[in-house]
Amino acid sequence: MDQQRVVLVTGASRGAGKGIALALAAPGTTVYITGRSKQEGDAPLPGTVFATAEEITRRGGKAVPVVCDHADDSQVQALFEQITREQGRLDILVNNALHVPDELVAPGAFWEKPLSLQSILDVGLRSTYVSSYYAAPLLLKSKNALVVNTSAAGGRCYMHGPAYGAGKAGVDKMAHDMAVDFRPHGVAVISLWMGLLSTERSQRVFDAHPDLYAEAAAMAESPEFPGRVIDALYQSGRAMDYSGQVHYAAELAEAFGVVDTGGEVRHSPRVMLGEPTTFNDAEVR
């Protein structure tokens, strides 16, 4: 498939967003990336939107870093106005921006934690809707558009509490419902359940407790793995066959013959975490 594609990955200063952006950074691809971190020290974890851009360039892609706070709708609107001026279309949108409060993984019930934990529903759930809203006119101008909401099995099982779970369940349902509206226009939308990734955040935990998390660290997927899966789905030309559905990244990887950066075959956590969420396909107008 033509590599002259235009991609946007939100929340790409570090973590899954950075990995996905790098995996999609083939020569000829223009990759817009957003993040709030302008320089090291802006966030507790390493990484900036400009450092990600430099790595994309080294890999042969054309990087366009945009400092954007996805909690501010005006900044998001300006982002898509920029893409409209400079490209006139968008081929792949990866909704990945997510605010992860430090208290999210702290022990205790949700009412014992700060109310500010609900911010994960703002930059995560709500921001996915806003970005998709402003992206829609650009996606309709693509011949082969794909929208991916990064998600996790927390939308189906208990994981990190109700705020996290509601956010994941919400972006899963958005993928299904947006796919219904987009289908007549040939735009595919999926929700991608990622596994445990060896992100900067995870690695900090692994390093702090090496004995406790040795097994988890050994099985963790690279942050680029979900991006490789997205790339394979897009390149297949069969994204519409999967549209409106929730998929484990590892299962799509198996379907398309995708391996991780070190050649590892990643296995689905379905047995441990459960079946991907499904929805009734009946349309009610």
Side-chain angles (χ1 to χ4, degrees):
M1 185 166 294
D2 185 8
Q3 288 291 334
Q4 302 297 320
R5 59 191 182 185
V6 181
V7 175
L8 168 62
V9 182
T10 69
S13 292
R14 62 189 64 83
K18 176 181 179 179
I20 291 169
L22 295 180
L24 294 173
T29 299
T30 299
V31 186
Y32 285 79
I33 50 174
T34 66
R36 293 185 300 165
S37 298
K38 301 178 184 179
Q39 57 188 10
E40 294 293 347
D42 284 351
L45 293 168
T48 72
V49 70
F50 298 109
T52 301
E54 290 175 1
E55 181 61 27
I56 289 171
T57 301
R58 283 194 290 270
R59 296 189 180 203
K62 178 183 177 182
V64 185
V66 180
V67 176
C68 177
D69 182 352
H70 282 270
D72 184 339
D73 292 355
S74 64
Q75 292 187 35
V76 177
Q77 181 178 7
L79 162 69
F80 286 99
E81 289 173 349
Q82 177 181 345
I83 298 174
T84 299
R85 290 193 307 271
E86 296 174 353
Q87 308 298 332
R89 77 175 200 279
L90 184 62
D91 301 307
I92 302 176
L93 167 64
V94 181
N95 286 311
N96 177 74
L98 180 69
H99 179 249
V100 182
D102 290 337
E103 300 87 354
L104 181 67
V105 296
F110 76 91
W111 63 86
E112 298 171 324
K113 302 178 186 182
L115 183 60
S116 60
L117 245 65
Q118 56 79 33
S119 62
I120 200 170
L121 300 174
D122 186 15
V123 180
L125 177 60
R126 184 178 182 279
S127 62
T128 292
Y129 187 95
V130 174
S131 290
S132 300
Y133 175 87
Y134 284 118
L138 289 164
L139 294 164
L140 297 182
K141 294 180 180 178
S142 170
K143 296 180 180 178
N144 186 44
L146 171 64
V147 179
V148 178
N149 296 344
T150 60
S151 188
R156 185 67 182 262
C157 64
Y158 184 93
M159 188 180 293
H160 307 317
Y164 181 87
K168 297 308 179 187
V171 298
D172 293 346
K173 187 61 164 63
M174 274 188 202
H176 175 269
D177 290 4
M178 289 180 178
V180 171
D181 287 348
F182 273 130
R183 183 168 290 277
H185 307 280
V187 177
V189 190
I190 70 163
S191 194
L192 190 69
W193 281 6
M194 302 183 293
L196 175 63
L197 303 180
S198 57
T199 63
E200 297 86 354
R201 186 182 301 275
S202 297
Q203 197 60 52
R204 184 173 64 177
V205 175
F206 297 158
D207 292 344
H209 307 280
D211 295 333
L212 182 62
Y213 292 107
E215 185 176 350
M219 65 179 290
E221 302 163 358
S222 80
E224 292 189 35
F225 180 67
R228 289 181 164 216
V229 172
I230 293 168
D231 183 58
L233 175 61
Y234 183 82
Q235 296 284 358
S236 73
R238 296 173 50 208
M240 289 301 297
D241 294 342
Y242 297 84
S243 190
Q245 303 168 17
V246 179
H247 301 278
Y248 277 112
E251 294 181 358
L252 283 184
E254 181 180 5
F256 291 107
V258 175
V259 296
D260 211 334
T261 53
E264 305 92 341
V265 175
R266 297 304 183 182
H267 301 288
S268 171
R270 177 189 289 255
V271 173
M272 179 174 60
L273 298 178
E275 301 282 329
T277 304
T278 58
F279 303 101
N280 188 338
D281 286 333
E283 296 180 30
V284 179
R285 296 288 183 178

